[in-house]
Structures are given as structure tokens and as C-alpha cells.
Amino acid sequence: MASEILNNVLIAKNLSIGYPSKKGDTIIAEGLHFELKKGELIGLVGSNGIGKSTLLRTLSATQLPLNGSIILNGSDISENTSLQRATQLSLVLTEAPASKNLTVLELISLGRQPHTSWMGTLTPLDLTKIEEAIEATDLVELQNKNCYELSDGQLQRVYIARALAQDTPIIILDEPTTHLDLYHRAYILKLLKKLAVEKQKTILFSTHEIDIAIQLADTMMVMTVNNLAIGSPCKLIEKGKFDALFPPETIHFDKTTGRFSVKD
Amino acid sequence: MILQKRYTPFFIVLLLVLLACFLINISLGSVAIPLSDVVASIFGGEVEKSSWNYIIQNYRTPKALTAIMAGGGLAVSGLLMQTLFRNPLAGPFVLGLSSGASLGVAILILGAGALGGFMGGILLNDWSLIIASALGSFLVLLAVLAVTFRIKDTMAILIIGLMFGSVTSAVVAVLSYFSTAEQLQQFVFWSFGSLGNQSWEGILILSLCFFIGILLSLVSAKALNALLLGENYAKSMGLKIKRNTFIIIVATSILAGGITAFAGPIAFVGLAVPHLTRQFIKTSNHLILIPAVLICGAILMLLCDTIAQLPFTEYFLPINAITSLVGAPVVIWLLVKKRKLLF
């Protein structure tokens, strides 16, 4: 039992997400129960506007849940200070950093902020963590470049490295594969898989790359209107959960290949 | 951010240039004083003419110190604005801070008449000028910030800053219409900007504002670094956005407001110096940038003041005109050279 609690890095209990308002809450999903385990790569899919970002924002405590609780490494997320959360959970957002003048090394070092003193001076431990993050994301040759010199694919690696340097058990990424070509989309998701296995991180990402995600993720979350199906990709395919993802008259899901195709 | 030691030679060179500019600034003017005598006077040695001693100690040294604090302080406040507003064009002048300070001072000088000569006389001392000017810039900054929380588009914020500028100049125009020629002249001279004629008391007040402002800026260095990634990333790294934004704003308004009160609205230093400094120093770490921008601002201001006092003549130009003449081409040159301004 104790080891199971340790293994479950993030637990959602009876979670309802959405937006509160005076006229009545807009509920996006309710009664969610799930556990995210250590070293697990979780892919979150769903069509545009279904509420993937809302779920990720709620899990990262950027947004309050309508109901229920999120347990992060044994303690309720709402009771933690923002600094405590920052040592548990790091984010890769869709937005680009405000300043493109930062060098790669500087941007990645910023990930150490929750661990540094008020001056932000880096200790030898901080430097080691930064170095590890740079090596894991294969950025050694780019580290002294400015961010405006990099391509979208390289930038995405830099953001992931920053989250790695923050050294948290959980990393949440909001659509890390947008704006990337096929090679880089596969590259980024393979990188996430490698980090989950080698560094024993729990990595949750939302994506539109369902084909690649099915092949790489340990667990998939399939979000449809008022429903969230969670399980291993194979089981979800068997249950036909992917069929409901898009309107069947336009997109068809082939269970044997695990691929989507456009219907004539 | 890593290996802060490698910036030591850079800072040594900067400080030497600053010292040289300081001495040259003191030595040049309507009466040229040899550098050796300048050094002697400052360190209490023998000076060839006693009048030189008087000029140096009561006129030129206070003026040079004001230039250092005004240039450094405005440049740092510009740097903070650029990071906080995520906009390379931000600065105390563009965001209407200086107009706010002008409005405060205008209400004080031009409105003092309404309170009668005696009361007006009491109101018009160094402290009240500072408070009016700092309050004016603080209020404008708060207004700009309130808008920032609603609108995420930074271009819109700049336009709003410019609008605040127009509104304040309109109010100043209305106030001028109802005031006496004497008051008007006092205000116009203040708005030309002047580093000279500071009493040692005034210098003391200015340096108090300067040190508090710089101290708060340095305390905010880590927060400013986090803000380079944007607010959401900063939050995700545990930064208390509201508290830190408030400290940064207080630092900026103390610096910009205090300096504007003493030296008048000085244009372009806040906008141009951070960009100029970034040409020499390849880091975005505010712990390095703040002191570097500070020294560069001080150097630029000393140089501008040296030009403004028109060496070997008895004339001097408004400092505001010189900083604009130097600053505007610098910004244009940077834009043309790099095609875009980054912060």
C-alpha cells in the first residue's frame, strides 16, 4: 500500500473542471478519478476546444477545480504554496518566452529558480542539474546561442530542458508538438518517452499527434464531450474510445493499425 | 548567468570610463580647469586658483553627481519597464511616467498660486517637488498597470501610455492658461531639465531616492529574470507575481519620479541605454544588467551634460534637448542595424 502511494505521483479524486460564473458553472468534465504513476508517459488527446488545456491548467493549479481534489505526492495541491508546487511540478506552455534575447543556457538556468536563494545565485548542485538537462535534451552545442537564433523544434527542446532543470517529479506539457514537422514531432515525443523511462519522471502532455502518441505513451487520456477515458492505448482501442474522438462521418479510426483516415 | 566572474574585467573598464567622464565633466565648462587641479580639489589638495576650488566644490561636483544618479537611475528604470511590460520600447518617458511627474509638478508650481503666496512658498521646497513628481509618475504607472492586467497586448499598453502623456500635457496646458507668467516660467525651466544648481541638501534627497530605487531593483533581480519567460512561466516557478510587480513598480516610480523632480523630464536615457548596454554585454541576467545599465546611463549622462554646458562658452543648453539629440539617433541606429529591438 505504501509503495503504491509512492508510485502514484498525482491522484485526482472526484475532480470536476470548468469555469465558475454567476450564471452557473460551465462544466467541462466531472467526477474524474485517475492516478499518474512514476516514470509514466501520459498522452492527453481530444479535439480542439474540448478542454485539454483546462484539464492541464487545473492539474498544475493554475486554475481552481470546480470540485474534488488533486493530490500531489501525498499532499493536497490547494494546500501547497506556489513555491512548494514549483518543486513538484514543472510546465512547458504553448506560449513563447517573453524575451527571445535569452541565451539557451540562461533560459534553462531559470528552471532552477524555485531552488535558488533570493539572489538567484547558482550552486554547484544547480549547475550539475542544468548540465544534466542540457545533455538529456542534446543541446550542448546550442547552449550559448540566443533563443531568437533557434528553430521551433530546437526551442521546444530548450523549454523541455528548462522543465527538466526545475527537477520536479512531474512535467506537464501543453501541446509540445504544435508548429513542428513530422520528424520533430516524433523526435520530441520520443524524447519525452526517454525522459520518463531514464529519469523516472511522470510526464503528461496534450497533443494532436494521436498516431505517434498511441505508439509511445504508457497511458492515454481521451477527452470527449463530458467524458474522459483513461487507460493503456491498446485497451482504449479495444473499447473503441478513439472512434468517438472525431465525428465518424469525416474521420475513421482503424483499430488494427491504430491510425486515423479521412472518409470519402 | 553562470560564471559571474567573467564580467569583472568588463565592470572594471566601465568604472574607469565612468571616472574619466566624471573628471572631464568637472574640468570642462565656461571656465576650463586642468584635470590635475580637478583631482587635487576633490581630494583636498592644493589648487592653483581658489575660485576653481569654489566652482568645483559648489557647482560642478554636485552637478556631476546629479548627472550620474539621473543617468543611472533613469536607465535602470527603463530596464525594469522593458522587462515588466515585455516591451523593448518601454521606458519612463514612453509609458507616460515623465508626463505624470510633469503633471504633479505642474499642479504644484502652477496650482501653488491659488493657495496664496505664503502657503505657496512653503509648498515649493525640494521635498514637495519630489513628492508631487513621484506621486504623479506613480499614479500614471498604476493606471498603465491596471490596463496591463486587463489587456495582454503590449502594443496597446504603449498606446495607452502615450494617451496618458497627451492627457497630462493637456491638463498642464489648461493649468498654464490660468497661471502667472512667473509660475509658467518656473515650470518651463523645470521642464527643460537641468542638472545644475543643486544644493548639497538636494543631492542628499536625490541620492536617498536613488539608493532606495536601485536597492529595490537589485532585490527584484531574480523576479525580473523569471519575468523574462512571461508571467505564466514565472508563476509556475513559484514567483509571487503581484508582490514582485508591486516592488518593481515602486522602484521605477521612486527612480523616475525622484529624478524627474530634480532634473526635469529627461528623454530617451531610459529607453536607449538598456539597448546600448545589451550591445556590449551578452546576458539577460538582471543581477549583471542592472549595474551595467546603471554605469552606462551615468556615463552617457555625464557626456550629454559635458556637451550641454558648451565648453569654453558661457552658454548652456537644456539637458533634455541633448539627450533627445543623442538618444533618438541611437534608437534608430539600433533598429536599422538589428532590424528589431529585443529585450
Side-chain angles (χ1 to χ4, degrees):
Chain A
M1 186 67 194
S3 68
E4 196 165 277
I5 291 175
L6 279 179
N7 260 330
N8 288 335
V9 180
L10 188 145
I11 305 168
K13 282 182 186 163
N14 193 28
L15 187 68
S16 295
I17 58 167
Y19 297 91
S21 77
K22 283 169 195 162
K23 289 174 192 165
D25 301 350
T26 313
I27 297 166
I28 286 170
E30 54 186 339
L32 303 178
H33 285 277
F34 56 84
E35 292 107 32
L36 306 183
K37 293 183 184 61
K38 201 177 173 187
E40 192 177 33
L41 180 68
I42 307 110
L44 169 64
V45 297
S47 60
N48 282 327
I50 205 87
K52 294 190 298 292
S53 295
T54 311
L55 177 62
L56 295 184
R57 274 204 298 272
T58 313
L59 290 180
S60 59
T62 329
Q63 184 178 338
L64 290 173
L66 292 177
N67 205 352
S69 56
I70 298 158
I71 312 291
L72 191 61
N73 255 348
S75 64
D76 197 304
I77 201 168
S78 59
E79 285 161 16
N80 289 347
T81 64
S82 56
L83 195 62
Q84 281 170 327
R85 275 198 297 272
T87 59
Q88 293 290 327
L89 196 149
S90 53
L91 296 179
V92 175
L93 305 166
T94 40
E95 63 187 51
S99 164
K100 292 253 177 185
N101 210 21
L102 283 163
T103 67
V104 170
L105 189 59
E106 282 175 336
L107 200 155
I108 297 171
S109 322
L110 284 175
R112 293 306 295 170
Q113 281 226 343
H115 307 273
T116 55
S117 67
W118 67 272
M119 273 176 72
T121 336
L122 299 167
T123 61
L125 174 73
D126 294 323
L127 294 176
T128 323
K129 293 282 178 192
I130 292 164
E131 217 167 280
E132 279 173 20
I134 289 173
E135 274 164 22
T137 47
D138 199 16
L139 286 168
V140 180
E141 274 131 50
L142 298 176
Q143 59 178 320
N144 290 318
K145 291 218 174 211
N146 290 96
C147 283
Y148 61 81
E149 296 172 281
L150 302 188
S151 71
D152 284 343
Q154 292 167 332
L155 273 176
Q156 200 62 49
R157 262 152 63 202
V158 175
Y159 306 154
I160 293 172
R162 190 210 60 83
L164 270 182
Q166 203 173 329
D167 195 26
T168 55
I170 306 181
I171 302 175
I172 293 182
L173 305 95
D174 194 359
E175 301 200 4
T177 50
T178 30
H179 305 305
L180 302 184
D181 61 30
L182 181 63
Y183 163 70
H184 284 98
R185 281 180 292 197
Y187 180 95
I188 291 292
L189 295 187
K190 271 184 83 175
L191 173 67
L192 294 180
K193 176 75 183 170
K194 188 186 90 176
L195 295 174
V197 173
E198 285 176 9
K199 308 234 167 199
Q200 282 295 294
K201 303 265 181 203
T202 306
I203 300 179
L204 170 62
F205 65 97
S206 65
T207 187
H208 291 293
E209 287 317 303
I210 306 173
D211 302 0
I212 309 174
I214 284 176
Q215 296 171 52
L216 289 172
D218 303 301
T219 306
M220 293 285 285
M221 292 177 156
V222 182
M223 218 173 176
T224 49
V225 183
N226 295 325
N227 189 24
L228 181 73
I230 303 158
S232 70
C234 294
K235 277 198 179 141
L236 289 176
I237 291 173
E238 268 174 40
K239 285 185 189 163
K241 291 291 180 192
F242 290 103
D243 304 340
L245 204 51
F246 302 115
E249 63 270 19
T250 321
I251 306 277
H252 168 76
F253 181 72
D254 188 336
K255 284 185 182 180
T256 48
T257 57
R259 277 168 211 286
F260 288 90
S261 57
V262 180
K263 253 192 169 176
D264 297 325
Chain B
M1 231 162 266
I2 293 170
L3 291 177
Q4 284 157 17
K5 271 181 210 154
R6 69 173 184 221
Y7 295 111
T8 315
F10 174 77
F11 276 108
I12 291 172
V13 171
L14 267 192
L15 284 172
L16 286 177
V17 174
L18 178 67
L19 185 69
C21 289
F22 180 70
L23 294 177
I24 290 169
N25 181 274
I26 292 179
S27 105
L28 290 179
S30 52
V31 181
I33 302 170
L35 275 175
S36 57
D37 288 293
V38 172
V39 175
S41 172
I42 290 171
F43 292 102
E46 285 289 309
V47 181
E48 210 182 300
K49 289 183 193 169
S50 61
S51 64
W52 286 359
N53 216 352
Y54 183 83
I55 292 173
I56 289 171
Q57 285 181 359
N58 289 302
Y59 185 70
R60 289 196 187 164
T61 310
K63 184 161 68 75
L65 287 176
T66 311
I68 288 175
M69 289 192 277
L74 284 175
V76 169
S77 91
L79 174 70
L80 301 195
M81 294 278 87
Q82 287 170 11
T83 305
L84 184 66
F85 284 100
R86 300 181 287 278
N87 196 311
L89 278 179
F93 212 80
V94 180
L95 286 171
L97 287 195
S98 304
S99 335
S102 299
L103 183 65
V105 171
I107 290 173
L108 187 75
I109 296 181
L110 306 178
L115 288 167
F118 179 67
M119 276 293 286
I122 289 178
L123 280 174
L124 273 180
N125 58 37
D126 287 348
W127 277 105
S128 58
L129 267 181
I130 288 260
I131 292 166
S133 156
L135 214 61
S137 62
F138 185 68
L139 288 180
V140 168
L141 196 59
L142 275 189
V144 171
L145 207 81
V147 175
T148 319
F149 277 125
R150 286 175 166 271
I151 304 171
K152 288 285 168 210
D153 184 14
T154 43
M155 279 314 279
I157 292 157
L158 274 193
I159 294 169
I160 285 160
L162 288 174
M163 292 302 110
F164 276 124
S166 322
V167 170
T168 45
S169 45
V171 174
V172 169
V174 171
L175 280 174
S176 334
Y177 188 78
F178 290 107
S179 34
T180 63
E182 215 171 285
Q183 289 167 331
L184 206 59
Q185 196 185 27
Q186 196 183 358
F187 179 73
V188 168
F189 271 116
W190 173 83
S191 71
F192 277 160
S194 163
L195 301 167
N197 296 326
Q198 307 287 358
S199 63
W200 280 104
E201 267 168 56
I203 302 268
L204 204 68
I205 301 170
L206 180 61
S207 50
L208 202 66
C209 293
F210 176 77
F211 281 113
I212 293 174
I214 297 297
L215 200 70
L216 288 177
S217 312
L218 285 171
V219 166
S220 304
K222 184 179 170 181
L224 287 162
N225 288 340
L227 283 172
L228 287 175
L229 290 182
E231 257 178 44
N232 288 330
Y233 270 116
K235 257 187 225 164
S236 84
M237 293 190 296
L239 187 77
K240 292 185 180 68
I241 298 279
K242 278 193 182 148
R243 196 179 75 184
N244 283 292
T245 309
F246 183 74
I247 297 176
I248 294 168
I249 285 174
V250 170
T252 328
S253 32
I254 289 178
L255 284 174
I259 291 161
T260 311
F262 274 96
I266 294 173
F268 276 104
V269 176
L271 168 62
V273 172
H275 291 297
L276 266 180
T277 312
R278 287 190 192 97
Q279 305 301 307
F280 307 122
I281 193 164
K282 203 188 165 194
T283 179
S284 296
N285 184 1
H286 285 79
L287 217 51
I288 308 289
L289 266 183
I290 291 171
V293 164
L294 174 82
I295 302 173
C296 286
I299 291 171
L300 190 77
M301 197 55 130
L302 282 172
L303 289 177
C304 285
D305 180 58
T306 312
I307 300 170
Q309 66 198 359
L310 290 176
F312 316 114
T313 69
E314 52 195 288
Y315 301 104
F316 62 91
L317 301 170
I319 186 72
N320 200 354
I322 305 297
T323 53
S324 297
L325 284 174
V326 174
V330 163
V331 173
I332 293 170
W333 169 70
L334 280 177
L335 264 173
V336 171
K337 189 181 144 221
K338 305 197 79 177
R339 286 202 205 92
K340 58 181 170 186
L341 283 177
L342 293 162
F343 65 98

